[in-house]
Amino acid sequence: MALFPAFAGIGEGPKSGSARKELDWLSNPSFCVEAVTSLSQQPKEATALVSEGSSPTRSHLKSEPSDESDTNRKPRQTSRKKKKEKKKRRKHHHKKTKRKRGQAGSSGSEPDSEPEKDKTSRSAGDSRRESEKPGQEGHAAADVGHRFVWLEDVQALTGETFRTDKKPDPANWEYKSLYRGDIARYKRKGDSCLGINPKKQCISWEGASTEKKHSHKHVERYFTKKSVGLMNIDGVAIGSKTEPPSSESLSFIPVKGPDDALPPVTTWLNPLGIYDQSTTQWLQGQGPSEQESKQPDSQMDRESALLKAKVEEFNRRVRESPRDVELWMAFVAFQDEVMKSPGLYALEEGEPEKRKRSQKLVLDRKLAILERAIESNQSSVELQLAKLELCAEFWEPSALLREWQKLIFVHPNKTALWQKYLLFCQSQFSTFTVAKIHGLYGKCLSTLSAVLDGSILSHPALPGTEEAVFALFLQHCHFLRQAGHSEKAVALFQAMVDFTFFKPDSVKDLATKGQVEFFEPFWDSGEPRAGEKGARGWRAWMQQQERGGWVVISPDDDDDEPEDEDQEIRDKSLPRWQIWLAAERSRDQRHWRPWRPDKTRKQTEEDCEDPERQVLFDDIAQSLIQLSSPDLQFQLVTAFLQFLGVPCGFSTPASCVYLAMDENSIFDNGLHDEKPLTFLNLSFNGISCVGRLDPLGCRRWTRGHSREGEEFIRNVFHLVMPLFSGQERSQLCFSWLRYEMAKRSVRCSSRMDSSALCWPPVIWCLHTKNKKRLKSQGKNCKKLAKNLLKEPENRNDFCLWKQYAHLEWLLGNTEDARKVFDSALSLAGGEEPRGSELWELGLLYAQLELELELSADVRGAAAARAVHVLTRLTENGPYGPYSGPVSAVHVLKARKAYEHALQDCLGQSYGSAPAPAGPAHRLASLAKCFLLFQYVTVGIEAAVRLYEQVCAGLRGSVCPGGALEAITLLHTGLLRFHTRVHVYPLAPLRQALSEAIQLYPDNQLLWRAYVQVQSKSHAASKIRRFFNAVTRSAKALEPWLFAIEAEKMRKRLVETVQRVDGREVHATIPETGLPHRIRALFESALQSDHGRLCPLLWRMYLNFLVSLGNKERSKGVFYKALQNCPWAKALYLDAMEHFPEEMQEVLDLMTEKELRVRLPLEELALLLED
């Protein structure tokens, strides 16, 4: 049958042999009509044509169906023995073929198209099934649709054949893909294809490339990761021996190993000396020693063995001592060390360096250890807190809050637990509102007050509970101040003053809750409270109520005049956000006192324009606490005065000092550089006073209150001063006088903008060197000082005399100040022993005289006067004014007296019980006078030796740390003064400051002096190393703050050098990367709990990023700050100033979180229309 019927005649015609061969391809001997008929009735199956030879001709199967049937009968008549042998041979060949195909499957690639896959898979499947049947040798000419022909079964068959698969494979439907063993495999030579243009076309093969990728092993350099790891391995001793120089040029320097260092040792077992020790032992039939066999092979194995030993030791110890909480906490902290070291907990064996350091793995392990610890220590709060802090990493806030509430319910008497709980709730932005946190503070204080009263019988009060409750009360007040609710904070202090000092005797024996119930009628009665004019206190009011009430006196005519309100909006042409900021800050400054209806003017509560200014009793009732300790009662007064802006020297408790820090006044030097010995330290510690939400950079001494605010502070002083006597009263008078020297003028004209800064009477005038204004403004301070000294209780008060003399000196009245000093020292007479106040008075007198040496005119005379003052302090007779230089004999006697007095004080400081505050202060004052005496009589070296002697004596004593800290401050001040008046290196001063800071890392004065001194050096590496060392060891936030300030000062210095009059000049200090370093310092500081919850640090970070011009990053930092400090109103105001376009969004956030907004936008629109 011809392949093409049209050419059937050509194929059958009588032609020559060559012509027949040329047209031979038109005929298909294997084609028959029956096959076509049978195939048309079945699904179409693809046929494959496999070429197995290079011959151009095809071998045909020329046989008719009848011949094929005869051929099929013949093999059936053969012997069965022959059939079995062929069957075994075919099976064996088929297994080999499958094995070869399976091996070649990994290197071959799969076909490109799916139809080809189907054809090949079906053909391979049929060939596998047909190989299991009896031999089909005689079926070579059978029907193609019903029989298969194997090339091995056909005798002398070298061509090609076709086969068809009729039987379907159900596995293709069941598994939706072909069995990989049924897919034909082949090897591809190269990645190209014939017939394509390699420049314009290419083929992407899905399978793996047939080319073998030969791995080229590169030589490892010293800087690679693998080579750097070798630095942790113990070094091997390298030796060398002298050899004659070789004539050959080597490409490397040969290094001899340890075996080449010594000549080989020859023995009868090692005649050539080429065997090492292990080989020699093997030849002798010996093995390595037990220690050598157990010795780790590498440094990594040794570290792993050491860590495993530590883990086993921890497990053994916690099994033996399950009640040891510190041991459990150490075991938890040890997990970080375990995860940092390689090899112990590798995820797969054999790759200790590439193990996965998963943070979640560490947390899970720590959590498991803590749960085991809590099972053995159910009452341990430390373990519970550690678990909650750990779970904060992967628990939801709601679940974490429930766990906190359960823990608080179980331990209501744990003040540290309450502190952590309040901070957690206060820093959750998603659930934060001012009212909610205010209620939590009230619940905390009322619960702890009930614990102190004994109302909660199941939980007794722990030691130190009263001090901790007072610290939580102060934290509550600062929270309200920072959220803008200044009226509630001031009302809390007012209520506490009446509740503590003016409590009626009839309610003193009641519990706190009962006393609060009796206090409510007084609060709602309209009676003047602390700070208001005519305040008499709760006790006087209650006594008068029992007698029938007060007699109402008609007010003066002057009081009937209404108060002139300052005009809030002066310039309506300014942008809307600037007008709002100025008006909001102005109202914050003027309206920080609670609004009370004035009965003399017939006012009622409905007359208040802003209802938020009224403080109801329910707002403060839960936060009232009892303070039975006299020390805490005095601290309450000083904390109230410092809250109002009076420098009382009160130290905010460490638990809330960083929460309250929100201004950068800690970096203001003021007169610290000009007066290194007698600078005026106001000690506000970065905490702003009430009513001040100024932008960063506003100087502290330029701030003050309005006329009503100043009157409020004076009324507080008049109310509380009669409550104290002795040292406490003296300190209050001293603070009042210092405040008058530091505050600004109280008279702000109504024509002036209330947000403008008025001139302070003394400090600001000294800073600006305005002598005329200084003299006029100092009269009020002198008047107050004289009035205080006229009081009988203050006539022998050396602290007040010292402050008055210092005021005269600052005003420029040097002779008048000397007369005041001489008069004050004469009051002491020859009393023994000298008190600390007298030593401090004489010390300030000598320091002021010595500071006159800063001017070159009176250097010799100033030192002589200082020697006279310090010498007369040691004499028993009455003090006399300066008449001339002191003789050497008197100087020698004074030195001996100082030595004996110092030895006596140091002897008293040693003992089993802590020294009281009085002797400690006397020791500090005496040591400071002796230091200054040694400096003015011998020199700076003698003063340094004396300081080292005093430090060595005090460090082993039980003397309070404040004494040594005060002596250290004077020592550093003397070094700073000496470097200014003499040629002296800065190295001793830097070393002294460094050592002092390491002892007192939270002392802001030391940090300020250190940064100021180091700013004179252009080498920043040493100061950076020092900051890194201190920040790693200290938990305080001051090292981070001053490290940032030092880098910012350096950045400003570089920018000043690079820009002169707005022009770019050559950079003489090549410094790059300072912004990145400062940003890294901010990020590192925010990692700690103190930094994360410090509003000042976030404000500084935001201000710095805005100064760089990156607004997008600045916005991100602002929202991140809100996630941690959502209560700080100053952050919102800074954002309003930096991102004016986000004004509406910021105000919506403030309203949502219930922060105090004193000027709504609707009211602003009305004011602008007017």
Side-chain angles (χ1 to χ4, degrees):
M1 182 63 185
L3 181 61
F4 299 102
F7 295 92
I10 298 177
E12 297 175 356
K15 296 282 182 169
S16 60
S18 60
R20 179 71 181 87
K21 289 180 180 180
E22 292 177 0
L23 301 175
D24 193 24
W25 64 276
L26 295 174
S27 64
N28 188 1
S30 63
F31 181 77
C32 60
V33 180
E34 291 79 0
V36 176
T37 306
S38 62
L39 289 174
S40 63
Q41 297 174 0
Q42 300 174 0
K44 293 184 179 181
E45 298 289 339
T47 59
L49 188 62
V50 182
S51 177
E52 285 194 6
S54 59
S55 174
T57 61
R58 297 169 182 258
S59 60
H60 312 284
L61 296 176
K62 300 179 181 180
S63 58
E64 295 297 327
S66 59
D67 297 334
E68 292 174 3
S69 62
D70 295 338
T71 309
N72 292 337
R73 294 191 199 102
K74 269 187 175 182
R76 294 194 186 99
Q77 299 173 1
T78 59
S79 62
R80 296 182 180 276
K81 187 176 182 179
K82 190 175 180 180
K83 290 181 180 179
K84 291 181 180 180
E85 292 175 357
K86 289 184 179 181
K87 181 178 180 181
K88 291 179 181 180
R89 188 165 56 250
R90 283 197 303 272
K91 283 186 177 180
H92 183 65
H93 176 74
H94 180 63
K95 289 179 180 179
K96 284 185 176 181
T97 307
K98 286 188 68 176
R99 194 179 298 114
K100 290 180 181 179
R101 288 176 180 174
Q103 293 174 357
S106 60
S107 61
S109 60
E110 298 179 358
D112 294 339
S113 61
E114 290 297 328
E116 291 178 2
K117 291 181 181 180
D118 297 340
K119 295 181 223 175
T120 312
S121 62
R122 290 190 178 93
S123 301
D126 291 337
S127 64
R128 182 175 67 254
R129 288 191 293 271
E130 288 298 327
S131 65
E132 299 174 358
K133 296 181 180 180
Q136 303 294 334
E137 178 182 2
H139 295 265
D143 186 2
V144 181
H146 303 276
R147 296 288 184 268
F148 293 95
V149 179
W150 291 93
L151 297 181
E152 296 86 351
D153 299 339
V154 180
Q155 298 287 340
L157 183 61
T158 59
E160 299 162 350
T161 184
F162 299 90
R163 59 191 175 191
T164 309
D165 183 13
K166 300 192 306 176
K167 188 175 181 179
D169 188 0
N172 294 340
W173 290 100
E174 184 175 356
Y175 297 105
K176 304 302 180 182
S177 64
L178 297 177
Y179 174 55
R180 62 181 180 84
D182 294 343
I183 301 176
R185 304 286 181 175
Y186 61 91
K187 292 184 180 180
R188 186 175 70 249
K189 301 295 184 181
D191 292 335
S192 181
C193 182
L194 296 177
I196 66 173
N197 187 357
K199 296 183 178 179
K200 299 181 179 180
Q201 298 173 323
C202 67
I203 295 178
S204 176
W205 304 97
E206 295 181 357
S209 176
T210 58
E211 295 182 1
K212 294 183 178 180
K213 296 181 179 179
H214 301 284
S215 60
H216 300 283
K217 189 174 182 181
H218 299 283
V219 181
E220 297 288 346
R221 298 299 301 277
Y222 65 92
F223 51 78
T224 58
K225 190 174 183 180
K226 183 178 179 181
S227 300
V228 171
L230 297 177
M231 299 176 64
N232 297 327
I233 302 176
D234 291 342
V236 181
I238 301 297
S240 62
K241 56 184 179 181
T242 58
E243 293 182 356
S246 177
S247 59
E248 299 180 0
S249 59
L250 300 177
S251 59
F252 61 91
I253 300 175
V255 179
K256 304 301 180 183
D259 296 336
D260 300 333
L262 298 175
V265 179
T266 58
T267 60
W268 66 277
L269 282 174
N270 189 10
L272 299 178
I274 60 175
Y275 298 149
D276 57 1
Q277 183 180 0
S278 60
T279 307
T280 305
Q281 290 179 352
W282 181 80
L283 291 174
Q284 293 176 356
Q286 300 176 1
S289 62
E290 185 177 356
Q291 294 181 355
E292 293 178 358
S293 61
K294 292 183 179 180
Q295 184 177 3
D297 297 334
S298 63
Q299 178 72 15
M300 185 189 309
D301 297 335
R302 287 193 293 271
E303 290 181 359
S304 299
L306 182 60
L307 286 175
K308 287 180 180 178
K310 287 185 178 180
V311 172
E312 294 174 358
E313 178 67 17
F314 268 115
N315 287 324
R316 182 187 62 79
R317 292 174 62 188
V318 296
R319 279 196 308 269
E320 296 174 354
S321 305
R323 300 286 183 181
D324 192 349
V325 177
E326 294 182 358
L327 181 60
W328 284 108
M329 295 300 295
F331 194 17
V332 172
F334 177 69
Q335 301 307 309
D336 295 327
E337 180 182 350
V338 171
M339 294 306 296
K340 289 178 182 177
S341 61
L344 185 58
Y345 292 110
L347 297 183
E348 294 184 16
E349 186 178 358
E351 44 178 293
E353 292 292 336
K354 297 181 180 179
R355 66 178 179 83
K356 185 180 180 182
R357 294 179 175 90
S358 175
Q359 184 68 17
K360 193 174 186 302
L361 183 63
V362 183
L363 295 177
D364 292 341
R365 186 174 291 117
K366 288 183 176 181
L367 186 59
I369 296 173
L370 286 172
E371 288 176 351
R372 284 180 52 199
I374 292 173
E375 290 177 1
S376 303
N377 303 272
Q378 296 287 344
S379 61
S380 175
V381 179
E382 186 179 0
L383 293 174
Q384 298 278 1
L385 285 175
K387 179 183 175 182
L388 289 176
E389 291 176 0
L390 196 65
C391 293
E393 300 289 337
F394 47 87
W395 278 12
E396 292 293 332
S398 57
L400 204 60
L401 181 60
R402 287 194 297 270
E403 292 296 324
W404 271 109
Q405 291 173 349
K406 292 178 183 177
L407 191 59
I408 287 293
F409 180 77
V410 176
H411 304 282
N413 59 338
K414 304 284 187 179
T415 55
L417 198 59
W418 278 106
Q419 168 78 13
K420 299 282 186 181
Y421 176 56
L422 290 171
L423 291 182
F424 169 76
C425 297
Q426 190 171 331
S427 59
Q428 295 295 316
F429 178 78
S430 57
T431 59
F432 170 83
T433 59
V434 173
K436 180 180 178 181
I437 304 302
H438 178 61
L440 283 178
Y441 273 106
K443 181 180 179 181
C444 167
L445 294 173
S446 60
T447 303
L448 291 175
S449 296
V451 170
L452 285 173
D453 295 338
S455 303
I456 302 180
L457 301 177
S458 58
H459 295 80
L462 300 176
T465 301
E466 190 175 10
E467 290 79 6
V469 171
F470 178 65
L472 288 173
F473 171 80
L474 294 180
Q475 182 176 321
H476 185 195
C477 294
H478 284 292
F479 164 75
L480 293 173
R481 173 185 63 81
Q482 290 176 328
H485 295 268
S486 304
E487 300 92 343
K488 293 181 181 179
V490 174
L492 265 176
F493 274 112
Q494 286 180 306
M496 279 297 298
V497 169
D498 277 309
F499 196 74
T500 303
F501 299 102
F502 301 99
K503 186 181 301 180
D505 298 335
S506 57
V507 300
K508 286 184 177 180
D509 297 333
L510 299 177
T512 305
K513 186 177 180 180
Q515 295 180 11
V516 170
E517 292 176 355
F518 276 97
F519 186 70
E520 182 177 2
F522 166 73
W523 186 265
D524 295 335
S525 64
E527 182 68 16
R529 305 165 187 165
E532 299 177 2
K533 187 176 181 179
R536 299 178 180 88
W538 180 20
R539 184 190 303 113
W541 175 83
M542 200 164 185
Q543 292 175 355
Q544 193 63 30
Q545 288 296 315
E546 295 173 355
R547 300 172 185 172
W550 300 106
V551 178
V552 179
I553 302 175
S554 59
D556 299 334
D557 296 338
D558 297 338
D559 296 339
D560 291 335
E561 297 179 1
E563 180 182 351
D564 294 336
E565 292 288 341
D566 296 332
Q567 188 173 353
E568 294 179 336
I569 301 176
R570 300 293 301 171
D571 189 0
K572 296 184 180 181
S573 62
L574 294 174
R576 190 161 171 253
W577 64 272
Q578 288 187 5
I579 297 175
W580 184 88
L581 270 179
E584 181 75 13
R585 284 171 174 158
S586 172
R587 291 191 177 185
D588 272 323
Q589 180 183 352
R590 292 183 291 109
H591 296 164
W592 51 267
R593 290 167 290 109
W595 187 88
R596 303 283 308 282
D598 192 351
K599 295 182 180 180
T600 59
R601 298 175 183 173
K602 299 181 180 180
Q603 291 181 347
T604 60
E605 295 180 355
E606 288 75 14
D607 295 333
C608 182
E609 298 178 356
D610 187 0
E612 290 291 331
R613 294 184 61 190
Q614 301 183 41
V615 181
L616 305 179
F617 183 75
D618 293 339
D619 297 332
I620 63 168
Q622 286 189 314
S623 302
L624 295 178
I625 60 176
Q626 289 193 71
L627 298 176
S628 58
S629 171
D631 187 23
L632 289 180
Q633 292 178 358
F634 181 70
Q635 288 185 30
L636 172 66
V637 174
T638 55
F640 185 23
L641 292 172
Q642 190 144 323
F643 190 81
L644 298 175
V646 179
C648 292
F650 173 75
S651 297
T652 308
S655 58
C656 61
V657 61
Y658 299 118
L659 287 171
M661 288 177 66
D662 51 6
E663 65 169 9
N664 61 347
S665 61
I666 59 175
F667 307 121
D668 292 338
N669 288 328
L671 302 178
H672 187 256
D673 298 330
E674 299 179 5
K675 306 287 184 180
L677 296 176
T678 61
F679 60 92
L680 190 64
N681 180 27
L682 302 180
S683 66
F684 285 103
N685 299 326
I687 302 174
S688 63
C689 63
V690 64
R692 305 302 306 192
L693 291 174
D694 299 308
L696 288 179
C698 184
R699 293 186 178 275
R700 180 64 187 251
W701 59 65
T702 62
R703 307 173 191 176
H705 295 292
S706 60
R707 181 179 59 186
E708 294 77 15
E710 297 297 335
E711 184 180 358
F712 184 89
I713 294 175
R714 285 196 297 270
N715 292 334
V716 171
F717 271 112
H718 288 303
L719 181 67
V720 300
M721 282 181 60
L723 302 174
F724 302 97
S725 61
Q727 182 65 27
E728 295 171 345
R729 180 184 174 88
S730 172
Q731 185 175 345
L732 288 177
C733 297
F734 180 73
S735 301
W736 192 359
L737 189 55
R738 289 184 69 189
Y739 173 68
E740 290 295 333
M741 294 170 61
K743 72 178 182 64
R744 70 173 188 174
S745 176
V746 299
R747 291 184 176 87
C748 285
S749 173
S750 59
R751 300 178 182 178
M752 297 175 58
D753 184 6
S754 61
S755 63
L757 299 177
C758 302
W759 296 104
V762 176
I763 303 300
W764 178 253
C765 297
L766 283 173
H767 188 72
T768 55
K769 299 180 180 180
N770 191 337
K771 295 183 178 181
K772 183 179 295 186
R773 184 174 291 273
L774 177 66
K775 185 177 181 180
S776 61
Q777 296 290 344
K779 291 181 179 180
N780 295 330
C781 297
K782 290 172 64 175
K783 182 178 180 181
L784 174 64
K786 292 179 180 179
N787 290 335
L788 290 175
L789 286 171
K790 287 179 181 178
E791 297 180 2
E793 299 86 354
N794 299 330
R795 289 177 181 176
N796 294 327
D797 188 353
F798 293 112
C799 289
L800 203 55
W801 280 101
K802 180 183 71 172
Q803 193 66 23
Y804 175 46
H806 193 192
L807 173 62
E808 292 283 0
W809 198 286
L810 291 177
L811 293 175
N813 306 324
T814 307
E815 292 300 327
D816 294 341
R818 285 171 178 166
K819 292 179 181 179
V820 174
F821 273 120
D822 293 339
S823 301
L825 290 173
S826 301
L827 292 176
E831 64 177 14
E832 288 291 340
R834 305 281 189 179
S836 60
E837 295 84 2
L838 187 61
W839 289 111
E840 290 289 342
L841 176 64
L843 177 66
L844 178 63
Y845 191 8
Q847 287 174 336
L848 289 173
E849 293 286 0
L850 191 61
E851 279 183 344
L852 293 177
E853 286 198 356
L854 294 174
S855 59
D857 302 337
V858 290
R859 283 196 173 178
R865 285 182 174 272
V867 172
H868 168 76
V869 173
L870 295 172
T871 303
R872 296 303 298 267
L873 282 176
T874 61
E875 297 178 356
N876 296 330
Y879 179 85
Y882 175 77
S883 57
V886 182
S887 64
V889 176
H890 288 84
V891 171
L892 183 59
K893 288 182 179 180
R895 183 176 294 110
K896 290 295 182 181
Y898 275 119
E899 290 176 356
H900 288 303
L902 185 61
Q903 291 298 328
D904 293 340
C905 290
L906 288 176
Q908 293 177 5
S909 63
Y910 283 95
S912 58
H921 292 162
R922 181 173 180 272
L923 170 61
S925 303
L926 174 62
K928 289 191 290 185
C929 288
F930 194 12
L931 274 176
L932 190 62
F933 179 80
Q934 289 291 89
Y935 173 73
V936 295
T937 56
V938 182
I940 188 64
E941 290 80 7
V944 171
R945 287 195 300 270
L946 177 61
Y947 168 74
E948 294 174 354
Q949 177 185 352
V950 173
C951 289
L954 287 179
R955 284 172 185 170
S957 66
V958 292
C959 185
L964 182 57
E965 188 173 0
I967 298 170
T968 303
L969 285 174
L970 179 65
H971 173 234
T972 55
L974 278 177
L975 288 172
R976 293 177 62 238
F977 173 79
H978 189 71
T979 54
R980 293 192 58 182
V981 298
H982 297 90
V983 178
Y984 193 70
L986 289 176
L989 174 58
R990 290 171 178 166
Q991 183 180 359
L993 286 171
S994 302
E995 294 174 354
I997 285 173
Q998 291 176 353
L999 288 175
Y1000 310 104
D1002 57 346
N1003 191 298
Q1004 298 176 3
L1005 295 175
L1006 292 174
W1007 278 114
R1008 202 178 301 165
Y1010 180 78
V1011 171
Q1012 189 68 24
V1013 170
Q1014 291 291 358
S1015 64
K1016 301 176 182 179
S1017 173
H1018 296 304
S1021 58
K1022 181 176 290 187
I1023 184 175
R1024 288 171 179 170
R1025 287 196 301 269
F1026 177 73
F1027 274 116
N1028 290 336
V1030 177
T1031 51
R1032 282 196 302 266
S1033 60
K1035 295 182 180 180
L1037 194 60
E1038 280 83 2
W1040 291 107
L1041 293 173
F1042 281 93
I1044 293 169
E1045 182 65 19
E1047 295 294 342
K1048 289 171 67 175
M1049 289 176 63
R1050 186 171 183 82
K1051 184 174 179 293
R1052 288 193 294 267
L1053 177 63
V1054 172
E1055 292 177 350
T1056 304
V1057 172
Q1058 292 178 350
R1059 294 176 178 85
V1060 177
D1061 297 333
R1063 296 179 292 105
E1064 297 289 340
V1065 298
H1066 179 67
T1068 58
I1069 308 177
E1071 184 73 47
T1072 57
L1074 278 175
H1076 303 290
R1077 177 178 290 276
I1078 297 173
R1079 191 181 301 118
L1081 285 174
F1082 274 116
E1083 293 292 342
S1084 300
L1086 292 171
Q1087 296 300 319
S1088 63
D1089 291 337
H1090 291 321
R1092 183 175 58 87
L1093 300 176
C1094 180
L1096 172 61
L1097 189 60
W1098 286 110
R1099 293 186 70 188
M1100 291 172 59
Y1101 194 13
L1102 179 61
N1103 188 52
F1104 172 72
L1105 290 180
V1106 170
S1107 67
L1108 296 181
N1110 193 341
K1111 279 202 169 185
E1112 292 301 324
R1113 186 184 291 269
S1114 304
K1115 289 182 181 178
V1117 169
F1118 165 65
Y1119 289 112
K1120 188 178 178 181
L1122 294 188
Q1123 294 292 331
N1124 295 277
C1125 303
W1127 70 88
K1129 183 179 178 181
L1131 281 172
Y1132 296 86
L1133 298 185
D1134 290 346
M1136 188 84 68
E1137 187 173 357
H1138 298 319
F1139 319 117
E1141 66 278 1
E1142 306 291 339
M1143 177 180 179
Q1144 185 64 48
E1145 181 179 354
V1146 173
L1147 283 175
D1148 292 342
L1149 277 175
M1150 295 176 66
T1151 306
E1152 178 186 354
K1153 299 304 175 184
E1154 300 179 359
L1155 270 74
R1156 187 79 162 88
V1157 179
R1158 300 181 180 273
L1159 181 61
L1161 290 181
E1162 296 79 9
E1163 184 178 354
L1164 177 63
L1166 293 176
L1167 292 176
L1168 291 177
E1169 288 178 2
D1170 296 341

